[in-house]
Amino acid sequence: MAELIGIVEDIVFRNEDNGFSVVGIREEGTQLMVTCVGNFPFINQGERVRLEGEWTTHPDYGQQLKMVTYSSAAPTTIQGMESYLASGLIRGVGASTARKLVHHFGEDVLDIIQFNPQRLIEVDGIGESRAEMIASSFSEQKEIREVMIFLQSYGITTAYALKIFKTYGSNTINSVRENPYRLAEDIIGIGFKTADRIARAMGVDSNSPYRVAAGINYVLSQAASQGHAYLPEEELMKRANQLLIVEETLVKNGLINLTLSHKLVMEQKGDYTAVYLSGFFQAESGSAQILRDLALDQSIKQFSYIEDKIRRFEKDNKMILAEEQREAVRQAMQYGVIVITGGPGTGKTTIINCMIELFTHEGLKVELAAPTGRAAKRMAEAAHQEAKTIHRLLEYGYSEEHEDAFQRDEDNPIKADVVIIDEMSMVDVLLLYHLLKAIVKGTRLIMVGDVDQLPSVGPGNVLRDIIQSNVIPVIQLTEIFRQAQESMIIVNAHRINQGDMPLLNLKEKDFFIDKQSSAEDILKTLDELITARLPGYGNYRPLQDIQILAPMRKGLIGVNNLNKELQKVLNPPAPHKKEKASGDTIFRQGDKVMQIKNNYKLQWTIPGKDEDVFEGEGIFNGDMGFIQDIDKEEQTLTILFDDEKTVIYDFSQLDELELSYAVTIHKSQGSEFPVVVIPLAYGPPMLMTRNLLYTAVTRARELVVLVGKENMIRRMVENNHIARRYSSLDERLQQAYGMVTS
């Protein structure tokens, strides 16, 4: 086996997912350049390495050393040390700082960083905090190499290995060896299958109770990601057996043990048994009880002369409310809990504004909230009053008792007399439960939403279940107002919802179809629309005003490919634009991006008046923004989100982001855009449904452009399939009211 010692001068290619690299190494002594290939988890330019491998001959690239093992060795020359420090490996050190450090400390520079980091402040531009960062990063890199080699031996990608190390630190190897299944619980993006592969490679028996328990939890967690609050036992057993491939009795015993340890709840429902993760059971049953208590609360303030108050609002605002709207206001002022539901153009915003004015006039404090930042911003603009995300309303953050938690709860409730929540179709059962726990008796809860929109991404079917329970007052808005009837977006949204074909290409209107047959033609048309036709038609800005909403992720006109193609034309590479590769995505300054996972710990800042800065935690699934800066020295990426939040991401967190020139229709819930472009090609009937098209159309304020076959639109309009979700909030509400027995 050949040995090579030298300096890494060039990284020709690197796969960020698996670490496979092609590197050019200048051999010590001979100074010959040698091409080496293999899995190098964290190799960097300027690094001195010792390799063992075998010589091979590539048909195109000639002689190469195929690496079998390698280790890092501290560079021995001044030039090597400077290259090593300037590589970006050490946080806080770029080319300029590396030059200063080597000039000041000479060949002792690495020893200084490792053993006497306090001396780093001798160098101009390095303060105490930066010196601490450099020393910490240097030390971390020594530890991380051992961890990387360990994890990659089990097939863990470089990106996930780094996330694992950041979670467990120097105890990573011991933690993983003790219980590899904890990776599925602790690390975002690592599921049971990856943890299971590691465990099996370590010799964990396939019949291990730990493996069976982890598999059951995984199946229920996957079901939750599909919107289910629980699974029937038979369905759970089937999925778990397919996953684990073990005797059925082992799965049954696993269910019993998890139930006895209160991690699962099993409940009889007619002719089948429902199996819940305990948190979902608590959320569903607790939500039903609190809703009942709020709705039947006798201490709720009662109002007289409601009709007079409504007439005063009409006079002050020079409008006449429709009877449906008047009824919604009456019930809001009469009951503790109500639901207002209706499609676009039915006057939900007017009702909210009326209620705010009337409640405020009575001296009541009103809080407004919505599930997403975009929805909250829209609500605030329409109501001319601050609206918060539900997470911000509940003051998500850190507590002494828990690492992270909602600060508003039953012991520290929301300080409000009235709470109005918009876009309730997006609220899942867990978020509902946290919200309800923070609302005390005497507080009114008004829930507003469109029940025909797609349901929440998270578990449960909250809005539909509450309406179907028939125990909470519901006002169904059906009348489309005259001014709304002038918008073909609104007219066609209602036509789609009723199973009728939308009216297309009417002159001087705002709803069009560009008929294209093939995916290739659709892609070409999208490019033309975004870059030329729509900006010319209405002075629409391609990045800020136009949003492509696609039904699918895969395929030529799926979100994944569309983002790559649109990035090329809307934000092409340029010498002044910084870039960072993450997996198969290149993030570039100016890119439009979206957060794709809830991260309650991400810190954000919002500039205030007089140099004040507001701080908080939490960026959530669906939040969109633009990349402002990429700092390879600090290994960070800065994003300005739509709600003016600035967030700094560590490079290890980039798997939580994706390009958002195009997004799925599901991800667009709660958002509105001036222009929506919807590519439609053939897709599975389970996906290409009426409410998917309805949801996409209702995301547009000014213009909708469909691109594809008219026949595909007809198929979607006719397909009223609604996927069943296992949820029981409606039944629990009925039980809470004594309407049914358990």
Side-chain angles (χ1 to χ4, degrees):
M1 191 171 291
E3 184 183 76
L4 174 69
I5 299 175
I7 302 294
V8 180
E9 288 211 355
D10 187 26
I11 299 176
V12 181
F13 170 80
R14 171 149 54 198
N15 185 317
E16 296 285 346
D17 279 340
N18 59 24
F20 178 81
S21 306
V22 180
V23 300
I25 296 176
R26 183 79 63 185
E27 185 178 20
E28 285 186 359
T30 68
Q31 298 302 303
L32 293 174
M33 183 67 81
V34 180
T35 300
C36 303
V37 299
N39 288 328
F40 298 91
F42 255 94
I43 202 165
N44 283 268
Q45 280 182 277
E47 191 175 351
R48 183 171 179 260
V49 293
R50 179 181 283 104
L51 284 80
E52 289 185 344
E54 298 175 350
W55 290 106
T56 62
T57 302
H58 192 279
D60 295 324
Y61 304 112
Q63 193 177 48
Q64 300 176 336
L65 184 66
K66 187 177 181 181
M67 185 273 293
V68 177
T69 65
Y70 92 102
S71 60
S72 181
T76 56
T77 66
I78 291 289
Q79 184 180 358
M81 291 177 186
E82 183 176 330
S83 296
Y84 171 69
L85 291 171
S87 67
L89 182 67
I90 310 300
R91 189 188 297 268
V93 181
S96 173
T97 304
R99 198 177 307 114
K100 291 179 183 177
L101 285 166
V102 171
H103 177 76
H104 188 82
F105 295 115
E107 58 187 26
D108 295 328
V109 62
L110 299 183
D111 287 339
I112 294 293
I113 294 173
Q114 185 172 1
F115 302 113
N116 295 295
Q118 65 274 11
R119 288 192 59 193
L120 295 177
I121 63 173
E122 297 173 13
V123 177
D124 186 43
I126 298 180
E128 289 185 6
S129 61
R130 194 174 185 191
E132 188 177 327
M133 177 197 298
I134 293 169
S136 173
S137 181
F138 186 84
S139 174
E140 186 178 276
Q141 293 307 316
K142 295 188 68 170
E143 291 181 342
I144 206 169
R145 287 185 181 280
E146 181 184 356
V147 170
M148 289 294 172
I149 293 169
F150 167 77
L151 292 173
Q152 287 210 325
S153 69
Y154 295 107
I156 301 293
T157 67
T158 301
Y160 280 121
L162 185 57
K163 289 176 82 74
I164 293 168
F165 179 80
K166 287 187 175 293
T167 300
Y168 303 129
S170 58
N171 198 41
T172 296
I173 294 175
N174 287 336
S175 296
V176 175
R177 279 177 173 157
E178 285 173 9
N179 181 12
Y181 293 105
R182 68 185 298 183
L183 293 172
E185 298 178 10
D186 297 341
I187 311 299
I188 294 174
I190 291 186
F192 171 82
K193 293 180 180 179
T194 300
D196 193 41
R197 187 181 69 244
I198 297 169
R200 301 298 298 277
M202 289 179 174
V204 176
D205 190 276
S206 62
N207 294 331
S208 164
Y210 296 108
R211 179 174 182 264
V212 173
I216 292 170
N217 280 320
Y218 173 75
V219 168
L220 286 170
S221 296
Q222 286 296 105
S225 70
Q226 297 161 358
H228 302 300
Y230 68 87
L231 282 180
E233 184 182 8
E234 186 178 345
E235 178 70 18
L236 172 59
M237 292 288 294
K238 179 183 175 182
R239 296 190 189 189
N241 285 327
Q242 288 175 345
L243 175 72
L244 297 166
I245 315 176
V246 296
E247 294 290 333
E248 188 171 308
T249 54
L250 291 174
V251 179
K252 188 72 175 177
N253 289 337
L255 278 175
I256 294 170
N257 290 333
L258 286 167
T259 302
L260 291 173
S261 62
H262 305 292
K263 293 179 180 178
L264 302 182
V265 175
M266 301 178 73
E267 183 183 53
Q268 194 64 33
K269 291 185 179 293
D271 59 351
Y272 70 92
T273 301
V275 184
Y276 289 82
L277 290 167
S278 58
F280 296 161
F281 178 83
Q282 184 181 13
E284 203 175 75
S285 55
S287 293
Q289 192 60 51
I290 299 172
L291 276 170
R292 176 198 175 276
D293 292 345
L294 291 173
L296 301 181
D297 180 22
Q298 297 298 312
S299 69
I300 199 80
K301 184 175 179 179
Q302 296 298 309
F303 300 95
S304 55
Y305 307 107
I306 294 174
E307 294 299 326
D308 291 343
K309 298 178 195 306
I310 294 173
R311 282 193 290 271
R312 186 183 68 231
F313 170 82
E314 292 175 323
K315 183 180 178 182
D316 292 345
N317 292 273
K318 298 179 173 59
M319 65 171 64
I320 302 295
L321 298 181
E323 182 52 35
E324 289 176 346
Q325 293 177 306
R326 299 174 75 88
E327 182 59 23
V329 176
R330 289 188 199 106
Q331 296 206 23
M333 300 193 77
Q334 184 178 354
Y335 297 111
V337 180
I338 69 163
V339 171
I340 301 169
T341 183
T346 56
K348 294 191 296 292
T349 298
T350 300
I351 294 169
I352 290 173
N353 288 342
C354 179
M355 290 187 299
I356 293 171
E357 186 169 318
L358 267 55
F359 285 132
T360 303
H361 191 267
E362 295 293 326
L364 303 187
K365 183 182 180 184
V366 180
E367 284 278 11
L368 309 181
T372 67
R374 278 179 168 264
K377 188 177 181 180
R378 282 191 5 249
M379 192 181 189
E381 289 170 350
H384 309 291
Q385 178 177 318
E386 181 187 22
K388 304 171 182 175
T389 63
I390 297 174
H391 284 83
R392 189 177 166 208
L393 177 67
L394 298 176
E395 297 179 15
Y396 188 89
Y398 297 93
S399 68
E400 294 180 2
E401 295 81 14
H402 306 286
E403 186 179 353
D404 49 78
F406 292 103
Q407 301 304 301
R408 295 290 179 184
D409 55 20
E410 57 269 47
D411 297 320
N412 182 29
I414 299 166
K415 292 179 170 57
D417 302 299
V418 182
V419 175
I420 303 176
I421 307 295
D422 199 9
E423 296 285 358
M424 271 300 298
S425 63
M426 297 181 64
V427 176
D428 63 43
V429 71
L430 291 176
L431 186 56
L432 176 72
Y433 183 49
H434 285 295
L435 172 67
L436 293 174
K437 285 197 296 181
I439 298 176
V440 295
K441 287 185 177 182
T443 304
R444 278 177 163 82
L445 174 62
I446 299 164
M447 296 174 282
V448 184
D450 184 351
V451 74
D452 294 316
Q453 298 279 350
L454 292 169
S456 62
V457 174
N461 208 351
V462 166
L463 183 60
R464 188 174 293 275
D465 276 1
I466 292 174
I467 293 172
Q468 287 183 172
S469 73
N470 290 317
V471 297
I472 301 293
V474 176
I475 298 88
Q476 179 80 50
L477 304 175
T478 57
E479 182 179 343
I480 307 173
F481 289 92
R482 183 167 52 84
Q483 61 269 32
Q485 292 175 8
E486 298 173 3
S487 165
M488 292 309 299
I489 297 173
I490 291 174
V491 170
N492 281 335
H494 285 274
R495 288 182 64 87
I496 291 167
N497 199 32
Q498 293 160 8
D500 298 323
M501 275 291 288
L503 304 173
L504 303 169
N505 294 350
L506 299 182
K507 289 184 178 180
E508 299 180 0
K509 292 295 182 179
D510 51 14
F511 198 105
F512 300 97
I513 182 172
D514 192 317
K515 297 179 183 180
Q516 302 294 335
S517 298
S518 68
E520 289 79 8
D521 289 338
I522 292 174
L523 182 60
K524 182 181 177 182
T525 302
L526 292 176
D527 190 331
E528 294 170 354
L529 283 166
I530 298 290
T531 59
R533 289 165 56 186
L534 288 173
Y537 175 77
N539 292 319
Y540 293 116
R541 299 168 297 173
L543 290 176
Q544 293 82 3
D545 299 331
I546 305 170
Q547 184 62 57
I548 292 179
L549 303 182
M552 295 173 290
R553 300 197 66 87
K554 297 180 179 178
L556 195 64
I557 57 169
V559 164
N560 296 341
N561 186 62
L562 284 175
N563 274 315
K564 291 180 180 178
E565 294 297 323
L566 291 168
Q567 186 189 44
K568 293 176 186 176
V569 296
L570 295 176
N571 190 32
H576 67 279
K577 293 180 184 177
K578 303 173 187 175
E579 295 182 353
K580 169 61 182 173
S582 178
D584 62 353
T585 301
I586 294 174
F587 291 107
R588 184 175 297 133
Q589 264 184 297
D591 273 338
K592 189 176 181 180
V593 293
M594 173 183 280
Q595 176 79 12
I596 59 172
K597 301 169 183 175
N598 288 336
N599 187 328
Y600 301 110
K601 297 179 182 179
L602 271 175
Q603 295 184 326
W604 51 258
T605 58
I606 298 176
K609 297 179 180 178
D610 302 323
E611 300 184 357
D612 289 337
V613 176
F614 300 101
E615 299 179 346
E617 298 94 20
I619 299 295
F620 306 105
N621 192 352
D623 289 349
M624 297 174 70
F626 290 88
I627 297 176
Q628 302 295 296
D629 187 37
I630 298 173
D631 191 330
K632 291 191 175 180
E633 185 168 307
E634 301 288 335
Q635 298 176 28
T636 58
L637 182 148
T638 303
I639 296 175
L640 177 64
F641 284 95
D642 288 344
D643 51 4
E644 306 303 319
K645 291 176 181 172
T646 296
V647 179
I648 298 175
Y649 286 76
D650 187 89
F651 281 173
S652 66
Q653 298 170 308
L654 298 187
D655 63 323
E656 298 182 21
L657 295 169
E658 66 181 20
L659 299 176
S660 62
Y661 300 99
V663 302
T664 64
I665 296 168
H666 283 84
K667 289 285 189 183
S668 74
Q669 288 175 264
S671 298
E672 269 191 0
F673 312 93
V675 181
V676 164
V677 181
I678 309 168
L680 294 174
Y682 288 108
M686 293 286 285
L687 177 65
M688 307 299 281
T689 62
R690 181 188 299 175
N691 71 334
L692 188 81
L693 182 60
Y694 173 75
T695 299
V697 167
T698 56
R699 300 305 90 201
R701 284 200 305 271
E702 300 174 20
L703 181 65
V704 170
V705 182
L706 305 172
V707 185
K709 289 185 176 181
E710 189 170 337
N711 189 46
M712 190 67 241
I713 300 171
R714 181 170 285 103
R715 287 189 180 189
M716 292 183 74
V717 169
E718 292 173 353
N719 182 10
N720 197 28
H721 171 79
I722 298 175
R724 180 181 177 185
R725 289 193 167 194
Y726 293 114
S727 65
S728 300
L729 182 59
D730 52 350
E731 295 173 16
R732 296 194 190 282
L733 278 166
Q734 291 170 350
Q735 289 168 10
Y737 275 77
M739 295 176 62
V740 296
T741 56
S742 55

